[in-house]
Amino acid sequence: LELQTGRSGIWLFDLDRSMQHRLIDTPEAAFGPVWSPDGQGLLFVSYPGTQWDLIRRHTIDEADVSVLRSGPAQAATDWSKDGRWIIYQERGAGAIDQWDIGVFDTTTSMAQKLVVSDKNEHQARLSPDGAWLAFTSNETGRDQIYLLRFPQLSPRIPVSSAGNDGACVLRYPAALSTVLGIGSTSNEDVRSSFSNYGSQTVYAAVDAAASSA
């Protein structure tokens, strides 16, 4: 949010040279930037007053810009490494804080919903190899992470902490066969001393200074 103008804009910060400039300069507000895989393009959403536009623009050539889709409030959340799939979330038909997850195929310019329900599903990201989609849902009454095979969309796999006792045992619900248990590693890629472990545990890196709380 730019305090001088009172509207949102997208800026580029050069951390090495301590420089900044406005990257997206449009009359309408611009939100939610997502880099293209090659770093040459950018996705963002803009609201011209009737619908929300999902826009792709080249970072240098300002004339190279296109509206990919228009609709209710939406935001891009990821772009696959091969450049084909754009993952986005869109305001659902339910409560004001209810979102659905969709995908835009850049090879066909077609969009389709992936996860649709009366619950709030959002913050979807693809795995580095593009084989899994992770997202947040409150279908159990609280926010929890789920996995889906992509693009096959297999049944949801809930994700839960393995536990923070430093023991060779998985705490519930991670101990259930239908749940994926997640352990912690430091930024040196070794298991955190507080993290539970076992043969059915997948490890995710966190800051070495992270608390076990």
Side-chain angles (χ1 to χ4, degrees):
L1 179 65
E2 300 172 7
L3 298 180
Q4 294 94 337
T5 64
R7 61 190 176 95
S8 295
I10 296 174
W11 289 70
L12 182 66
F13 291 83
D14 187 329
L15 300 180
D16 291 332
R17 295 182 292 175
S18 297
M19 298 175 61
Q20 65 185 47
H21 73 274
R22 185 178 178 126
L23 188 62
I24 305 296
D25 190 6
T26 63
E28 302 85 17
F31 304 88
V34 173
W35 286 107
S36 66
D38 61 6
Q40 299 299 307
L42 197 70
L43 294 171
F44 64 96
V45 293
S46 181
Y47 183 66
T50 54
Q51 292 183 311
W52 290 78
D53 294 334
L54 178 61
I55 300 173
R56 180 202 58 80
R57 208 207 80 173
H58 196 278
T59 53
I60 299 176
D61 183 1
E62 296 184 6
D64 186 1
V65 59
S66 59
V67 176
L68 301 182
R69 67 184 304 269
S70 299
Q74 59 180 313
T77 58
D78 204 5
W79 198 340
S80 65
K81 289 187 179 299
D82 62 5
R84 178 177 180 180
W85 307 106
I86 294 171
I87 308 298
Y88 65 91
Q89 62 188 52
E90 182 178 78
R91 181 70 52 78
I96 192 171
D97 59 347
Q98 188 257 313
W99 296 83
D100 298 323
I101 296 170
V103 61
F104 181 88
D105 187 342
T106 61
T107 64
T108 63
S109 297
M110 298 293 291
Q112 70 176 73
K113 291 291 186 71
L114 295 179
V115 184
V116 182
S117 75
D118 60 351
K119 306 303 180 183
N120 185 23
E121 279 110 5
H122 56 117
Q123 298 176 332
R125 297 291 301 272
L126 289 167
S127 60
D129 63 0
W132 293 91
L133 182 74
F135 62 96
T136 302
S137 174
N138 67 348
E139 70 170 28
T140 62
R142 63 183 180 88
D143 282 344
Q144 188 170 345
I145 297 173
Y146 292 84
L147 297 178
L148 283 174
R149 272 287 186 184
F150 184 84
Q152 298 91 339
L153 302 181
S154 60
R156 298 187 184 193
I157 302 175
V159 176
S160 180
S161 169
N164 295 325
D165 308 308
C168 184
V169 61
L170 298 185
R171 297 297 183 188
Y172 285 94
L176 298 172
S177 60
T178 56
V179 177
L180 180 64
I182 298 292
S184 167
T185 67
S186 70
N187 55 8
E188 297 177 347
D189 201 26
V190 296
R191 181 179 63 84
S192 302
S193 60
F194 58 80
S195 179
N196 286 16
Y197 56 96
S199 59
Q200 298 180 341
T201 304
V202 174
Y203 290 95
V206 297
D207 191 322
S211 169
S212 61

